[in-house]
Amino acid sequence: SLYRFSHFNAVQTQVFHTLYHTDDNVLLGAPTGSGKTNCAELAMLRLFRTRPKAKMVYVAPLKALVRERMKDWGVRLVQKLGIKVVELTGDASDMEAVDKAQVIVTTPEKWDGVSRSWQRRSYVQAVGLVI
């Protein structure tokens, strides 16, 4: 199983249809521990279902949070679903791996730097979802 729970909570239930069945933009504000990351994963799963060659960028404010996401998704996305996930920070910047990845987990500063020349970077042009 992808998740350790059997049912979505109230927040996840309210946004499920929009995130998984539409291309609408969503701004989700909810308390810590309310399942916002799982909501982001719904949007990501929709992207890969509807646009298999697209990339998703997950922007975390701190490198420590990038690493936490990499650890969690390394198990759930990479091992269970075969989705390629790569870290893009000041410490880790393998651009060949970024080009091949489906999910890019990065910091705002690093994404700002690599996305400025988007016309010359196919991996930026392939982004279909930013979280």
Side-chain angles (χ1 to χ4, degrees):
S1 173
L2 193 58
Y3 297 105
R4 287 180 261 147
F5 53 85
S6 60
H7 296 82
F8 290 124
N9 67 26
V11 171
Q12 296 159 342
T13 300
Q14 288 178 349
V15 298
F16 176 84
H17 178 80
T18 302
L19 292 174
Y20 196 72
H21 293 292
T22 76
D23 287 328
D24 293 348
N25 292 321
V26 173
L27 174 63
L28 178 58
T32 300
S34 61
K36 294 183 296 291
T37 301
N38 291 335
C39 291
E41 291 168 358
L42 292 172
M44 177 182 57
L45 293 172
R46 172 183 168 66
L47 177 71
F48 296 145
R49 182 173 51 87
T50 60
R51 295 179 51 203
K53 295 194 184 295
K55 294 182 182 295
M56 189 272 273
V57 176
Y58 184 94
V59 181
L62 304 168
K63 282 188 217 177
L65 296 175
V66 168
R67 289 194 184 99
E68 179 182 308
R69 190 74 356 248
M70 289 296 297
K71 183 179 176 184
D72 178 44
W73 282 348
V75 173
R76 294 191 308 113
L77 298 182
V78 176
Q79 292 177 11
K80 293 186 178 183
L81 298 179
I83 294 174
K84 294 180 180 126
V85 181
V86 67
E87 176 181 338
L88 179 61
T89 63
D91 297 340
S93 300
D94 180 351
M95 299 318 285
E96 186 175 325
V98 169
D99 195 44
K100 293 177 182 176
Q102 295 165 279
V103 176
I104 302 165
V105 185
T106 188
T107 57
E109 298 82 11
K110 191 64 177 186
W111 186 248
D112 178 56
V114 299
S115 64
R116 285 187 181 258
S117 301
W118 65 269
Q119 300 93 336
R120 295 180 305 201
R121 296 186 168 132
S122 61
Y123 57 86
V124 177
Q125 295 173 22
V127 172
L129 178 64
V130 177
I131 306 281

